[in-house]
Short mmCIF file of all heavy atoms in Angstrom, two decimals:
data_model
loop_
_atom_site.label_atom_id
_atom_site.label_comp_id
_atom_site.label_asym_id
_atom_site.label_seq_id
_atom_site.Cartn_x
_atom_site.Cartn_y
_atom_site.Cartn_z
N VAL A 1 0.83 -1.19 0.07
CA VAL A 1 0.00 0.00 -0.01
C VAL A 1 0.83 1.34 0.02
O VAL A 1 0.67 2.17 -0.77
CB VAL A 1 -0.97 0.02 1.24
CG1 VAL A 1 -1.64 1.35 1.37
CG2 VAL A 1 -1.95 -1.10 1.03
N LEU A 2 1.87 1.30 0.80
CA LEU A 2 2.84 2.44 0.91
C LEU A 2 3.53 2.64 -0.42
O LEU A 2 3.70 3.75 -0.92
CB LEU A 2 3.78 2.21 2.14
CG LEU A 2 3.18 2.33 3.39
CD1 LEU A 2 4.12 1.98 4.50
CD2 LEU A 2 2.49 3.69 3.68
N PHE A 3 4.06 1.49 -0.96
CA PHE A 3 4.78 1.47 -2.21
C PHE A 3 3.89 2.10 -3.37
O PHE A 3 4.43 3.07 -4.13
CB PHE A 3 5.24 0.14 -2.59
CG PHE A 3 5.95 0.08 -3.85
CD1 PHE A 3 7.30 0.64 -3.91
CD2 PHE A 3 5.51 -0.40 -5.03
CE1 PHE A 3 8.12 0.59 -5.07
CE2 PHE A 3 6.15 -0.51 -6.12
CZ PHE A 3 7.40 -0.06 -6.22
N VAL A 4 2.68 1.74 -3.51
CA VAL A 4 1.70 2.12 -4.51
C VAL A 4 1.41 3.57 -4.29
O VAL A 4 1.28 4.50 -5.23
CB VAL A 4 0.49 1.20 -4.53
CG1 VAL A 4 -0.53 1.86 -5.49
CG2 VAL A 4 0.91 -0.16 -5.18
N LYS A 5 1.09 3.85 -3.06
CA LYS A 5 0.64 5.28 -2.66
C LYS A 5 1.70 6.32 -2.98
O LYS A 5 1.41 7.44 -3.34
CB LYS A 5 0.21 5.31 -1.24
CG LYS A 5 -0.36 6.65 -0.75
CD LYS A 5 -0.90 6.54 0.67
CE LYS A 5 -1.58 7.84 1.11
NZ LYS A 5 -1.98 7.73 2.50
N ASN A 6 2.98 6.01 -2.74
CA ASN A 6 4.02 6.99 -2.84
C ASN A 6 4.72 7.00 -4.16
O ASN A 6 5.80 7.65 -4.37
CB ASN A 6 5.10 6.74 -1.70
CG ASN A 6 4.47 7.12 -0.35
OD1 ASN A 6 3.98 8.15 -0.08
ND2 ASN A 6 4.37 6.15 0.57
N ASN A 7 4.35 6.10 -5.09
CA ASN A 7 5.02 6.06 -6.49
C ASN A 7 3.88 6.20 -7.53
O ASN A 7 2.98 5.39 -7.57
CB ASN A 7 5.74 4.72 -6.61
CG ASN A 7 6.94 4.73 -5.73
OD1 ASN A 7 8.06 5.07 -6.11
ND2 ASN A 7 6.75 3.99 -4.59
N SER A 8 3.96 7.29 -8.27
CA SER A 8 2.89 7.53 -9.19
C SER A 8 2.81 6.60 -10.36
O SER A 8 1.63 6.30 -10.76
CB SER A 8 3.10 9.00 -9.85
OG SER A 8 4.36 9.08 -10.50
N PHE A 9 3.83 6.06 -10.84
CA PHE A 9 3.81 5.07 -11.89
C PHE A 9 3.16 3.87 -11.50
O PHE A 9 2.21 3.30 -12.17
CB PHE A 9 5.24 4.80 -12.44
CG PHE A 9 5.29 3.66 -13.48
CD1 PHE A 9 4.96 3.96 -14.76
CD2 PHE A 9 5.67 2.38 -13.14
CE1 PHE A 9 4.97 3.06 -15.78
CE2 PHE A 9 5.67 1.39 -14.07
CZ PHE A 9 5.28 1.75 -15.36
N GLN A 10 3.49 3.23 -10.25
CA GLN A 10 2.86 2.05 -9.75
C GLN A 10 1.45 2.34 -9.37
O GLN A 10 0.61 1.49 -9.62
CB GLN A 10 3.61 1.55 -8.49
CG GLN A 10 4.96 0.89 -8.80
CD GLN A 10 6.09 1.84 -9.16
OE1 GLN A 10 6.00 3.10 -8.94
NE2 GLN A 10 7.26 1.36 -9.64
N ARG A 11 1.19 3.47 -8.91
CA ARG A 11 -0.21 3.85 -8.53
C ARG A 11 -1.15 3.81 -9.90
O ARG A 11 -2.27 3.25 -9.80
CB ARG A 11 -0.31 5.23 -7.86
CG ARG A 11 -1.81 5.51 -7.42
CD ARG A 11 -1.89 6.68 -6.41
NE ARG A 11 -1.32 7.91 -7.12
CZ ARG A 11 -0.15 8.55 -6.92
NH1 ARG A 11 0.68 7.99 -5.89
NH2 ARG A 11 0.19 9.63 -7.52
N ALA A 12 -0.57 4.46 -10.90
CA ALA A 12 -1.33 4.43 -12.21
C ALA A 12 -1.46 3.02 -12.74
O ALA A 12 -2.57 2.75 -13.30
CB ALA A 12 -0.52 5.29 -13.19
N SER A 13 -0.44 2.18 -12.57
CA SER A 13 -0.61 0.84 -13.01
C SER A 13 -1.63 -0.01 -12.38
O SER A 13 -2.42 -0.72 -12.93
CB SER A 13 0.78 0.14 -12.97
OG SER A 13 1.80 0.86 -13.70
N VAL A 14 -1.61 0.20 -11.07
CA VAL A 14 -2.60 -0.44 -10.14
C VAL A 14 -4.02 -0.02 -10.52
O VAL A 14 -4.93 -0.87 -10.74
CB VAL A 14 -2.28 -0.41 -8.72
CG1 VAL A 14 -3.41 -0.80 -7.85
CG2 VAL A 14 -0.98 -1.05 -8.34
N LEU A 15 -4.24 1.23 -10.63
CA LEU A 15 -5.56 1.83 -10.99
C LEU A 15 -5.97 1.32 -12.40
O LEU A 15 -7.16 1.03 -12.49
CB LEU A 15 -5.50 3.36 -10.85
CG LEU A 15 -5.32 3.97 -9.45
CD1 LEU A 15 -5.17 5.43 -9.60
CD2 LEU A 15 -6.58 3.58 -8.65
N ASN A 16 -5.12 1.26 -13.27
CA ASN A 16 -5.37 0.79 -14.54
C ASN A 16 -5.79 -0.65 -14.61
O ASN A 16 -6.83 -1.04 -15.28
CB ASN A 16 -4.18 0.98 -15.59
CG ASN A 16 -4.54 0.64 -16.93
OD1 ASN A 16 -5.47 1.09 -17.50
ND2 ASN A 16 -3.71 -0.30 -17.50
N SER A 17 -5.03 -1.52 -13.86
CA SER A 17 -5.41 -2.87 -13.78
C SER A 17 -6.77 -3.04 -12.98
O SER A 17 -7.59 -3.92 -13.34
CB SER A 17 -4.35 -3.58 -12.89
OG SER A 17 -3.04 -3.51 -13.59
N SER A 18 -6.97 -2.29 -11.95
CA SER A 18 -8.27 -2.31 -11.28
C SER A 18 -9.39 -1.93 -12.21
O SER A 18 -10.51 -2.55 -12.20
CB SER A 18 -8.37 -1.37 -10.10
OG SER A 18 -7.24 -1.67 -9.19
N ASN A 19 -9.17 -0.85 -13.03
CA ASN A 19 -10.26 -0.43 -13.98
C ASN A 19 -10.56 -1.58 -14.99
O ASN A 19 -11.72 -1.80 -15.40
CB ASN A 19 -9.76 0.84 -14.64
CG ASN A 19 -9.89 2.00 -13.79
OD1 ASN A 19 -10.61 2.03 -12.80
ND2 ASN A 19 -9.07 3.01 -14.15
N GLN A 20 -9.51 -2.29 -15.42
CA GLN A 20 -9.70 -3.29 -16.37
C GLN A 20 -10.57 -4.47 -15.77
O GLN A 20 -11.43 -5.11 -16.38
CB GLN A 20 -8.42 -3.77 -16.87
CG GLN A 20 -7.67 -2.86 -17.82
CD GLN A 20 -6.37 -3.44 -18.30
OE1 GLN A 20 -6.00 -4.58 -17.88
NE2 GLN A 20 -5.65 -2.86 -19.16
N ILE A 21 -10.25 -4.77 -14.48
CA ILE A 21 -10.93 -5.81 -13.82
C ILE A 21 -12.48 -5.41 -13.69
O ILE A 21 -13.31 -6.28 -14.01
CB ILE A 21 -10.20 -6.25 -12.57
CG1 ILE A 21 -8.91 -6.78 -12.68
CG2 ILE A 21 -11.14 -7.18 -11.71
CD1 ILE A 21 -8.02 -7.02 -11.53
N VAL A 22 -12.58 -4.20 -13.13
CA VAL A 22 -13.95 -3.80 -12.91
C VAL A 22 -14.79 -3.68 -14.21
O VAL A 22 -15.87 -4.12 -14.25
CB VAL A 22 -13.93 -2.43 -12.17
CG1 VAL A 22 -15.34 -1.86 -12.06
CG2 VAL A 22 -13.36 -2.58 -10.82
N GLY A 23 -14.04 -3.18 -15.19
CA GLY A 23 -14.70 -3.04 -16.53
C GLY A 23 -15.10 -4.39 -17.05
O GLY A 23 -16.20 -4.55 -17.69
N LYS A 24 -14.14 -5.42 -16.98
CA LYS A 24 -14.51 -6.83 -17.41
C LYS A 24 -15.66 -7.33 -16.65
O LYS A 24 -16.58 -8.05 -17.21
CB LYS A 24 -13.21 -7.58 -17.27
CG LYS A 24 -13.47 -9.07 -17.96
CD LYS A 24 -13.59 -8.95 -19.39
CE LYS A 24 -13.64 -10.34 -19.99
NZ LYS A 24 -13.70 -10.22 -21.49
N ALA A 25 -15.75 -7.05 -15.36
CA ALA A 25 -16.92 -7.57 -14.51
C ALA A 25 -18.19 -6.90 -15.05
O ALA A 25 -19.19 -7.56 -15.14
CB ALA A 25 -16.63 -7.16 -13.06
N TYR A 26 -18.15 -5.57 -15.24
CA TYR A 26 -19.36 -4.92 -15.75
C TYR A 26 -19.75 -5.34 -17.10
O TYR A 26 -20.98 -5.55 -17.39
CB TYR A 26 -19.14 -3.37 -15.82
CG TYR A 26 -19.30 -2.58 -14.61
CD1 TYR A 26 -18.27 -1.73 -14.08
CD2 TYR A 26 -20.33 -2.82 -13.72
CE1 TYR A 26 -18.38 -0.97 -12.88
CE2 TYR A 26 -20.44 -2.12 -12.47
CZ TYR A 26 -19.50 -1.22 -12.05
OH TYR A 26 -19.55 -0.61 -10.89
N GLU A 27 -18.82 -5.68 -17.97
CA GLU A 27 -19.04 -6.24 -19.27
C GLU A 27 -19.70 -7.61 -19.25
O GLU A 27 -20.73 -7.86 -19.94
CB GLU A 27 -17.67 -6.29 -20.09
CG GLU A 27 -17.95 -6.84 -21.54
CD GLU A 27 -16.66 -6.95 -22.33
OE1 GLU A 27 -15.61 -6.51 -21.69
OE2 GLU A 27 -16.67 -7.45 -23.38
N THR A 28 -19.18 -8.48 -18.26
CA THR A 28 -19.82 -9.79 -18.06
C THR A 28 -21.20 -9.68 -17.57
O THR A 28 -22.22 -10.38 -18.01
CB THR A 28 -18.96 -10.60 -17.22
OG1 THR A 28 -17.63 -10.67 -17.66
CG2 THR A 28 -19.54 -11.98 -17.04
N ALA A 29 -21.48 -8.74 -16.65
CA ALA A 29 -22.74 -8.58 -16.06
C ALA A 29 -23.82 -8.04 -17.15
O ALA A 29 -24.84 -8.40 -17.14
CB ALA A 29 -22.66 -7.52 -14.82
N ASN A 30 -23.15 -7.13 -17.91
CA ASN A 30 -24.12 -6.53 -18.91
C ASN A 30 -24.46 -7.59 -19.96
O ASN A 30 -25.62 -7.53 -20.52
CB ASN A 30 -23.42 -5.43 -19.61
CG ASN A 30 -24.19 -4.72 -20.66
OD1 ASN A 30 -25.27 -4.14 -20.44
ND2 ASN A 30 -23.80 -4.78 -21.93
N TYR A 31 -23.54 -8.47 -20.28
CA TYR A 31 -23.75 -9.52 -21.27
C TYR A 31 -24.91 -10.52 -20.76
O TYR A 31 -25.85 -10.83 -21.42
CB TYR A 31 -22.49 -10.33 -21.57
CG TYR A 31 -22.70 -11.54 -22.44
CD1 TYR A 31 -22.88 -11.45 -23.81
CD2 TYR A 31 -22.89 -12.78 -21.87
CE1 TYR A 31 -23.03 -12.53 -24.64
CE2 TYR A 31 -23.08 -13.96 -22.61
CZ TYR A 31 -23.09 -13.80 -23.95
OH TYR A 31 -23.39 -14.93 -24.78
N LEU A 32 -24.78 -10.85 -19.44
CA LEU A 32 -25.75 -11.72 -18.82
C LEU A 32 -27.07 -10.99 -18.77
O LEU A 32 -28.08 -11.61 -19.06
CB LEU A 32 -25.38 -12.09 -17.35
CG LEU A 32 -23.97 -12.96 -17.37
CD1 LEU A 32 -23.74 -13.21 -15.86
CD2 LEU A 32 -24.31 -14.44 -18.00
N ASN A 33 -27.14 -9.74 -18.52
CA ASN A 33 -28.36 -9.09 -18.32
C ASN A 33 -29.00 -8.90 -19.75
O ASN A 33 -30.25 -9.04 -19.94
CB ASN A 33 -28.18 -7.61 -17.79
CG ASN A 33 -29.43 -6.89 -17.59
OD1 ASN A 33 -30.34 -7.34 -16.91
ND2 ASN A 33 -29.49 -5.58 -18.28
N THR A 34 -28.16 -8.67 -20.79
CA THR A 34 -28.72 -8.59 -22.14
C THR A 34 -29.29 -9.95 -22.53
O THR A 34 -30.34 -9.99 -23.26
CB THR A 34 -27.59 -8.18 -23.10
OG1 THR A 34 -27.15 -6.90 -22.72
CG2 THR A 34 -28.12 -8.12 -24.55
N TYR A 35 -28.68 -11.03 -22.26
CA TYR A 35 -29.10 -12.40 -22.62
C TYR A 35 -30.41 -12.66 -21.97
O TYR A 35 -31.35 -13.20 -22.61
CB TYR A 35 -28.10 -13.42 -22.14
CG TYR A 35 -28.48 -14.81 -22.49
CD1 TYR A 35 -28.34 -15.31 -23.89
CD2 TYR A 35 -28.98 -15.64 -21.53
CE1 TYR A 35 -28.77 -16.63 -24.17
CE2 TYR A 35 -29.35 -16.96 -21.77
CZ TYR A 35 -29.24 -17.41 -23.07
OH TYR A 35 -29.63 -18.74 -23.39
N LEU A 36 -30.52 -12.20 -20.67
CA LEU A 36 -31.78 -12.59 -19.92
C LEU A 36 -32.99 -11.76 -20.40
O LEU A 36 -34.19 -12.10 -20.28
CB LEU A 36 -31.59 -12.29 -18.41
CG LEU A 36 -30.63 -13.24 -17.63
CD1 LEU A 36 -30.38 -12.76 -16.30
CD2 LEU A 36 -31.10 -14.69 -17.79
N ASN A 37 -32.66 -10.70 -21.20
CA ASN A 37 -33.74 -9.72 -21.63
C ASN A 37 -33.95 -9.83 -23.08
O ASN A 37 -34.63 -8.98 -23.76
CB ASN A 37 -33.38 -8.30 -21.35
CG ASN A 37 -33.42 -7.99 -19.74
OD1 ASN A 37 -34.45 -8.35 -19.21
ND2 ASN A 37 -32.44 -7.29 -19.26
N LEU A 38 -33.46 -10.91 -23.71
CA LEU A 38 -33.55 -11.14 -25.16
C LEU A 38 -35.01 -11.19 -25.57
O LEU A 38 -35.42 -10.73 -26.63
CB LEU A 38 -32.78 -12.35 -25.50
CG LEU A 38 -31.25 -12.18 -25.84
CD1 LEU A 38 -30.69 -13.54 -26.22
CD2 LEU A 38 -31.03 -11.21 -26.95
N ALA A 39 -35.82 -11.89 -24.75
CA ALA A 39 -37.25 -12.04 -25.10
C ALA A 39 -37.90 -10.72 -25.25
O ALA A 39 -38.73 -10.37 -26.09
CB ALA A 39 -38.01 -12.94 -24.04
N VAL A 40 -37.67 -9.68 -24.24
CA VAL A 40 -38.28 -8.44 -24.23
C VAL A 40 -37.78 -7.62 -25.55
O VAL A 40 -38.52 -6.98 -26.17
CB VAL A 40 -37.95 -7.68 -22.97
CG1 VAL A 40 -38.38 -6.32 -22.94
CG2 VAL A 40 -38.50 -8.43 -21.78
N VAL A 41 -36.44 -7.82 -25.85
CA VAL A 41 -36.03 -7.08 -26.98
C VAL A 41 -36.53 -7.63 -28.27
O VAL A 41 -36.92 -6.80 -29.15
CB VAL A 41 -34.40 -7.30 -26.96
CG1 VAL A 41 -33.88 -6.71 -28.30
CG2 VAL A 41 -33.76 -6.57 -25.81
N ASN A 42 -36.73 -8.91 -28.23
CA ASN A 42 -37.33 -9.46 -29.53
C ASN A 42 -38.74 -9.01 -29.70
O ASN A 42 -39.30 -8.67 -30.83
CB ASN A 42 -37.29 -10.95 -29.45
CG ASN A 42 -35.96 -11.60 -29.71
OD1 ASN A 42 -35.05 -10.96 -30.34
ND2 ASN A 42 -35.75 -12.82 -29.24
N ASP A 43 -39.49 -8.97 -28.54
CA ASP A 43 -40.95 -8.40 -28.65
C ASP A 43 -41.01 -6.96 -29.17
O ASP A 43 -41.76 -6.60 -30.06
CB ASP A 43 -41.54 -8.57 -27.37
CG ASP A 43 -41.78 -9.93 -26.89
OD1 ASP A 43 -41.85 -10.85 -27.77
OD2 ASP A 43 -41.98 -10.28 -25.67
#
């Protein structure tokens, strides 16, 4: 925590990795939600 907090490059790398993980999670959740709502979309 101290290393990442006091080094801008490492902090940016960690944040970027976190954003990728969160983005992937949102993408997966959105895909599942879209799949479950296919019947409504087709109608």
Side-chain angles (χ1 to χ4, degrees):
V1 171
L2 293 174
F3 180 74
V4 171
K5 185 176 181 180
N6 294 300
N7 292 273
S8 58
F9 176 77
Q10 283 75 13
R11 184 169 61 252
S13 300
V14 170
L15 290 175
N16 184 53
S17 300
S18 301
N19 288 337
Q20 288 182 357
I21 295 172
V22 173
K24 189 65 177 179
Y26 279 131
E27 182 181 355
T28 303
N30 183 62
Y31 174 79
L32 293 175
N33 185 59
T34 302
Y35 180 79
L36 293 175
N37 290 314
L38 278 179
V40 177
V41 173
N42 286 338
D43 290 342

